[in-house]
Amino acid sequence: MFKKNLLIILLILFGTARFCFSQTLAYYKTSKYIKNYIWVPDANLKPSRLSFSAFNDMESLPESFIIPDQTVLVFLKKDRPDKTASLKLVFRCFIENISSADFKITDHKSHEFKQTVKFNNQGYQAPFFLNFDSLLVFDKKDLKIEISYKKLDEKRTTKFVLGDAWLGNNKIEKHLSPSEIFLNAPYSNINLKTRAQLTPFESAGQYAHFPVKQYEEYYKSNVFIENPSVKSENLLSEVFLSLLKAYPFYKERNLNKDQIISKAEILLHDNSSFCDRIAKINTFLNTEVRDPHFSIRSKCTIKPVTALVTPFYCYNFNNKAIVSAILDSELEEKIPLGSEILEINHKKVNLNQDFTIDRLNQSLKNAPGEKMTINFARPEGGLNEISYILKPKYIISKKYSGNKGDGYVFLNDSTAYYKINSINDHSVTTFISNLDSINTKKNLVLDLRNCGGGDFLAGARLLSSIVHKSFKYFDFEEVATGKLDSIIVNGNLSPLNFRKDGKISFIINRSSACVTELLASCLKRELRDVKIIGSENSIGALSFTYQVVLPDEDASFTTNAISPGKILVNGKSIETKGITPDICVKLEKVEDLAPYKDKVLQAAVSRIDL
């Protein structure tokens, strides 16, 4: 009898374990596009020189067509719609001097339904999804859409270029992530047999070579975590510790892995609330790891009840916090530009590796209505103390932020200047589409100061429009095996190229990171007439990054811990080292900074105007 009861107990405990086992799953999402009707370009339409690169889960479009006003697009039936009353018009376009466009769908029975799109900017547009949800009475054997548009400026010509258009729907699908980190505890991905089949990395023809066994699924940048049976604060701790254990840059950043993990385990070994743990993890990452590609955001911290403000900002000159921008006219007379900040609310200022100029500028911020006391040394000599009450809002002009917006201007008869703030599909495509105009000047200044990087494929496209040939993008070291390989970029797929006899000055600063650093190193290696200009090294943070999102999007990690490989420049890691300028410009006073005389830009122009 005892043995029988014991057997029943064992069956209950172990025979049903697979049904009650707590499973932490990590998955990514994809959009599956169901094209019920496809647009067939009319033979009379004029081809355009513009191409459309791959966008999220959409393929690249090597061909496009110029669409005159009031053009009728004819759609051919491909698949039977799942929902006959509702279809989406999906299209990708490029526009010039167009404020809005009307899309009127009709059938041969004179039914019609219209949607209007207002364009917030010109140039390449993100894909549009227009809902046509009143089509129950339409005869879907014969659908047509007329496009008509309005000019922004009646005196200028317009251009509407269409890359693709189709009628159908899309649905979101979830797939378990096959990344190595999620095949180990505390995750349960390996226990399930429904993982998506791995596919070769898809670069839309941009890469001539990509390492074998590096699959498309490894590079899905948004990973979602779920486990309904675990408390949110415990799941947060589990995910954080798993990321720390997988983090690949301990050696490069001179960190002791065992000590870091031990400190984190002690830190989280309590019953603190979810938001308290978020605060602890945030402080830990900022003080212990100090990797710009490893951070945390949450609903606890994203939107503080009151936005913190400051009326001025400082720049680090020789480890001194020097006032470099003042946003309050009343304070301009009391704290002159060039003053050195000595104390903030009676706490001494000492710039060092831990207390950087960024942290000092953060310390200057407080809630509106709060009193701040600053002790400072005036540029002409003499010590002062000033107290002020923070106003509800201070507006940072583009002059002070250094953000001149993506785009180009001509600095003189021989030099074009192009500012890029983020390397993405839009900024790169805009650069390429403006090459005809840029090429009227022999010299080009590429300003990527404060550009924190962006998309690697977009960066490869930008480089291929300048380099003119196939080239090595970067070296790749597998984290698991240490095996080395390289990523090779194809020659330019577009008819638009930067002129072969052109000179380039590439400007960087401490806030230039990731893909920006890769572009600088590639151009320097592949072209003779390229010089890197700056007042300091770039930050030295080059890796693939991911967003790891917790349930209900309560928190998310930005991290490089999931990456299957390390990116090397000329066979070496640049983590913490960065890219060193060929011409290092010494900034000695506030007037040398970009909002004023911009000594670095002057050096960049002088170099290529010789």
Side-chain angles (χ1 to χ4, degrees), residues 63-74:
E63 295 182 329
S64 61
F65 296 87
I66 298 173
I67 307 298
D69 192 18
Q70 298 182 335
T71 294
V72 175
L73 307 182
V74 177

Side-chain angles (χ1 to χ4, degrees), residues 258-278:
D258 293 337
Q259 288 182 5
I260 291 289
I261 294 173
S262 177
K263 286 181 180 180
E265 289 174 337
I266 294 172
L267 180 75
L268 300 173
H269 189 66
D270 60 18
N271 295 319
S272 55
S273 68
F274 181 81
C275 286
D276 284 342
R277 293 195 188 194
I278 290 287

Side-chain angles (χ1 to χ4, degrees), residues 277-537:
R277 293 195 188 194
I278 290 287
K280 289 180 179 181
I281 291 172
N282 183 56
T283 300
F284 187 88
L285 288 172
N286 287 334
T287 58
E288 298 290 340
V289 181
R290 292 198 292 260
D291 185 338
H293 282 155
F294 202 166
S295 60
I296 188 170
R297 300 176 75 232
S298 79
K299 292 180 179 178
C300 305
T301 57
I302 288 177
K303 294 183 179 179
V305 176
T306 304
L308 305 182
V309 295
T310 178
F312 64 90
Y313 290 84
C314 296
Y315 188 87
N316 185 348
F317 287 97
N318 299 318
N319 287 326
K320 295 180 179 180
I322 304 299
V323 176
S324 57
I326 303 174
L327 313 179
D328 188 329
S329 57
E330 296 177 9
L331 286 179
E332 281 183 318
E333 299 177 0
K334 300 176 181 178
I335 308 180
L337 284 174
S339 298
E340 179 188 356
I341 302 301
L342 303 175
E343 294 183 0
I344 301 174
N345 291 335
H346 306 296
K347 292 183 179 180
K348 289 187 177 181
V349 168
N350 180 26
L351 293 182
N352 52 49
Q353 184 179 6
D354 294 322
F355 191 71
T356 63
I357 195 67
D358 290 334
R359 292 191 64 186
L360 177 136
N361 283 323
Q362 193 64 33
S363 299
L364 290 170
K365 294 182 177 181
N366 212 328
E370 292 292 326
K371 180 180 178 180
M372 298 290 291
T373 300
I374 304 296
N375 292 81
F376 63 96
R378 302 177 71 88
E380 69 275 13
L383 303 179
N384 286 83
E385 179 179 292
I386 184 174
S387 296
Y388 54 91
I389 303 298
L390 290 170
K391 296 179 179 179
K393 188 176 182 180
Y394 299 98
I395 298 175
I396 302 177
S397 70
K398 288 185 177 181
K399 177 182 76 171
Y400 284 137
S401 67
N403 182 356
K404 298 179 180 179
D406 292 333
Y408 72 98
V409 294
F410 296 139
L411 299 180
N412 54 43
D413 291 339
S414 61
T415 304
Y417 167 91
Y418 206 98
K419 181 75 174 77
I420 297 179
N421 296 302
S422 178
I423 301 164
N424 53 47
D425 179 70
H426 175 76
S427 63
V428 171
T429 303
T430 302
F431 171 80
I432 293 173
S433 62
N434 284 316
L435 277 173
D436 279 344
S437 180
I438 293 171
N439 281 338
T440 62
K441 311 300 178 186
K442 184 177 180 180
N443 305 324
L444 174 62
V445 175
L446 284 173
D447 188 349
L448 279 85
R449 287 176 288 187
N450 304 317
C451 180
D455 182 74
F456 282 86
L457 274 175
R461 284 183 61 225
L462 176 63
L463 286 171
S464 66
S465 71
I466 300 174
V467 174
H468 297 280
K469 62 180 181 180
S470 180
F471 61 92
K472 182 171 73 173
Y473 197 14
F474 55 86
D475 295 313
F476 180 90
E477 178 186 352
E478 282 189 12
V479 171
T481 65
K483 182 180 178 181
L484 293 175
D485 205 334
S486 297
I487 281 71
I488 307 298
V489 176
N490 272 315
N492 192 10
L493 304 177
S494 166
L496 300 175
N497 294 277
F498 180 63
R499 56 190 293 169
K500 290 185 177 181
D501 63 343
K503 289 184 177 181
I504 296 176
S505 284
F506 194 105
I507 306 180
I508 61 172
N509 65 1
R510 180 66 179 170
S511 296
S512 301
C514 202
V515 183
T516 300
E517 298 175 291
L518 200 53
L519 298 189
S521 63
C522 282
L523 287 176
K524 172 68 177 174
R525 182 182 67 244
E526 297 295 333
L527 298 179
R528 184 180 62 183
D529 284 328
V530 172
K531 293 292 183 183
I532 301 171
I533 318 292
S535 61
E536 55 195 341
N537 280 21

Side-chain angles (χ1 to χ4, degrees), residues 37 72-73 75 84 104-113 134-146 167:
Y37 300 85
V72 175
L73 307 182
F75 289 81
T84 56
K104 184 172 67 175
I105 187 168
T106 61
D107 63 7
H108 71 282
K109 294 183 178 180
S110 300
H111 297 116
E112 67 176 52
F113 184 73
S134 301
L135 304 181
L136 190 60
V137 298
F138 278 65
D139 184 343
K140 299 182 182 62
K141 295 179 182 179
D142 183 21
L143 291 178
K144 299 178 181 180
I145 293 180
E146 180 185 38
L167 286 160

Side-chain angles (χ1 to χ4, degrees), residues 225-243:
I225 307 297
E226 65 178 30
N227 188 336
S229 63
V230 176
K231 290 183 178 180
S232 58
E233 56 267 29
N234 293 335
L235 186 60
L236 170 67
S237 298
E238 286 183 359
V239 172
F240 177 51
L241 289 173
S242 74
L243 294 175

